[in-house]
Amino acid sequence: MSVKVLCPFNSDDKNRKKVWRTVKPFWNERFTLVTSELDLSEFSRSKTRNNLLHQVDAEDIIVFVDADIWVDERNVWDCIDAVESGHKWAIGYQRYYRLNEESSDFFLDQVAKEGKVDRTPRQSECTIGGFRSYASCLIMTAEFFQDCGGCDERFMFWSYEDDAFNCVAKTFGGEPYRPRKHSSKRETNLIHFWHPEPLEDTWEQPYFKHNEELFKEYKALEGKPVEMTEYIEGRYK
């Protein structure tokens, strides 16, 4: 059993490229990194994740990460140990901190120089700070990902595809494991580095409403394995 970090990436602007120049070596030096660079106009996070799975074996443990985030590698190994011990899936952090433009360079510089951050971001340094999330760093076996039907490629671009997958994962695998807090100064939260939104008024785009409605169908079936299985098997028909 080996561990592979799967990371879709698209270089739509200089800010994302700047983050990627730091994040890519961070993952590449610590794990086997499998990535795919796509044109933004064709980007679908669901489809990209499914395609990346072609480069791993069923018994591999996979770590899905986004190209604009950082989590402490010890949290990832904590989650990998949990999956090897019987947990079906895991989320590689406790809470999610989305940095603002002013603070992003400070934390990015820490990761570049030290491979880590030394503190939790303050609320004043974030556009959104400290919320519970199920996105951006998912750990499981490739086999369990396939058992869940992979990601639904009907989701357009991005938004809600993680939430929908998590409904499926909870239905077939229970609640996810999360890294435990430690007495040491290990940062157990996720840091999301700043970049402009890929589309202006992202939340007003037509695809967003489409994705939201799809997610509601998954949410209605959460915890119902028979119904969820039937829905997954028929979703492309």
Side-chain angles (χ1 to χ4, degrees), residues 220-234:
L221 298 175
E222 184 178 317
K224 303 174 182 177
V226 174
E227 292 88 340
M228 185 70 83
T229 299
E230 292 175 349
Y231 178 80
I232 291 171
E233 290 176 347

Side-chain angles (χ1 to χ4, degrees), residues 24-217:
K24 183 179 180 180
F26 171 82
W27 293 115
N28 215 19
E29 292 166 6
R30 294 161 173 81
F31 300 92
T32 300
L33 177 65
V34 181
T35 188
S36 176
E37 186 168 351
L38 300 177
D39 187 309
L40 179 63
S41 64
E42 301 173 353
F43 180 68
S44 162
R45 185 154 59 179
S46 290
K47 186 174 183 178
T48 305
R49 284 181 171 174
N50 290 343
N51 288 342
L52 285 171
L53 203 74
H54 297 156
Q55 302 182 56
V56 307
D57 297 323
E59 65 272 15
D60 286 344
I61 290 180
I62 55 175
V63 183
F64 281 117
V65 296
D66 290 343
D68 50 11
I69 63 100
W70 172 89
V71 293
D72 193 305
E73 64 185 286
R74 292 171 293 182
N75 297 335
V76 177
W77 284 113
D78 187 3
C79 290
I80 290 169
D81 289 342
V83 170
E84 289 181 330
S85 298
H87 288 269
K88 287 293 188 180
W89 66 304
I91 303 293
Y93 58 93
Q94 286 287 330
R95 295 189 178 274
Y96 190 110
Y97 287 80
R98 183 182 290 268
L99 299 175
N100 59 33
E101 184 175 2
E102 292 72 25
S103 64
S104 189
D105 282 347
F106 170 78
F107 285 97
L108 194 64
D109 187 57
Q110 280 198 340
V111 173
K113 291 179 178 178
E114 304 174 31
K116 62 180 181 179
V117 301
D118 60 7
R119 63 175 175 82
T120 301
R122 304 181 184 95
Q123 290 295 325
S124 61
E125 295 172 317
C126 302
T127 55
I128 307 175
F131 68 98
R132 199 79 160 168
S133 176
Y134 291 89
S136 300
C137 186
L138 311 177
I139 299 103
M140 67 199 78
T141 62
E143 183 179 26
F144 180 68
F145 181 74
Q146 292 171 325
D147 289 344
C148 291
C151 290
D152 187 340
E153 295 183 13
R154 295 177 300 167
F155 283 93
M156 302 165 60
F157 197 56
W158 70 274
S159 72
Y160 284 110
E161 73 289 332
D162 273 334
D163 303 276
F165 179 81
N166 293 330
C167 289
V168 180
K170 285 181 185 178
T171 298
F172 298 132
E175 287 293 325
Y177 177 90
R178 289 183 186 264
R180 296 173 181 161
K181 295 181 180 179
H182 293 262
S183 57
S184 66
K185 292 185 177 180
R186 181 199 304 187
E187 180 55 68
T188 55
N189 297 308
L190 177 146
I191 306 294
H192 176 281
F193 297 107
W194 181 87
H195 56 75
E197 291 289 355
L199 294 173
E200 292 184 7
D201 302 319
T202 296
W203 312 115
E204 303 301 323
Q205 296 298 321
Y207 74 83
F208 183 80
K209 187 64 177 177
H210 163 83
N211 289 357
E212 183 180 27
E213 293 303 314
L214 264 184
F215 161 66
K216 289 179 181 178
E217 295 178 10

